Amino acid sequence: MSNINLIPYLTFENTKEALDYYQTVFGATDVQRESPTEKQAQDMSLNDDVNLDDLTMQASFNILGKQIFCADSFLGKPVISSMISLMFEVDLHDSDALSSLQDLYERVVESEEVKVIVTFEKKTSGNKYGQIVDKYGITWIFNAVK
């Protein structure tokens, strides 16, 4: 079953705004976004006066080379949940990967747009670990393991 991928797919009330946030705060790259077509809007019974360019049918972005998909919630306002966590894990001995992870952590913390739950530092296990929560309630875990 090595041909199976598990891909994060997030839902936002305003994905356009969220994409800007992840570009600014997390340094997201390769941002792609598609608005719904008129046919898709009709199929979803959206109001005729809605500006389709403001809506996102599907989008994606990369952080540390990992692709994350997202879209607007067309079923009502999404509920923020502490049950959503995304973890970046690197080998503690891979200096390039560790440096990239450290740089990302410092970038998001310096932005003051996240809440630090656990400072990214070496723990008694010898691993380096940290957690932050972004403005959308998503927990991001930074994990460097031996």
Side-chain angles (χ1 to χ4, degrees):
M1 295 228 162
S2 63
N3 290 331
I4 297 175
N5 293 317
L6 180 63
I7 300 170
Y9 201 111
L10 306 174
T11 304
F12 300 102
E13 185 173 3
N14 183 335
T15 300
K16 239 177 140 172
E17 179 183 282
L19 291 170
D20 288 340
Y21 171 79
Y22 288 111
Q23 282 181 289
T24 302
V25 176
F26 285 73
T29 60
D30 302 320
V31 175
Q32 298 179 11
R33 186 180 151 289
E34 295 175 23
S35 295
T37 64
E38 288 184 25
K39 170 86 169 96
Q40 289 168 323
Q42 287 175 345
D43 291 346
M44 291 186 291
S45 301
L46 298 178
N47 292 337
D48 291 335
D49 62 346
V50 70
N51 182 352
L52 296 181
D53 189 50
D54 289 339
L55 301 178
T56 303
M57 193 70 179
Q58 180 171 299
S60 66
F61 57 94
N62 289 347
I63 298 177
L64 294 183
K66 300 301 175 190
Q67 191 171 34
I68 299 167
F69 284 86
C70 56
D72 283 343
S73 171
F74 291 98
L75 301 175
K77 187 174 183 172
V79 177
I80 292 177
S81 170
S82 63
M83 294 175 61
I84 304 297
S85 298
L86 301 176
M87 180 168 58
F88 288 112
E89 185 174 88
V90 301
D91 182 334
L92 191 60
H93 303 292
D94 182 337
S95 60
D96 290 340
L98 180 58
S99 178
S100 294
L101 191 62
Q102 182 71 46
D103 290 348
L104 176 61
Y105 175 82
E106 289 172 7
R107 176 188 179 115
V108 298
V109 170
E110 287 171 7
S111 74
E112 299 182 4
E113 298 251 2
V114 301
K115 179 180 179 184
V116 176
I117 304 300
V118 178
T119 303
F120 185 52
E121 60 189 11
K122 198 169 243 184
K123 304 301 178 193
T124 56
S125 65
N127 294 338
K128 196 169 181 181
Y129 180 88
Q131 276 187 19
I132 59 98
V133 176
D134 72 21
K135 82 176 204 174
Y136 295 99
I138 298 167
T139 299
W140 295 82
I141 300 170
F142 300 80
N143 196 21
V145 296
K146 294 192 243 178

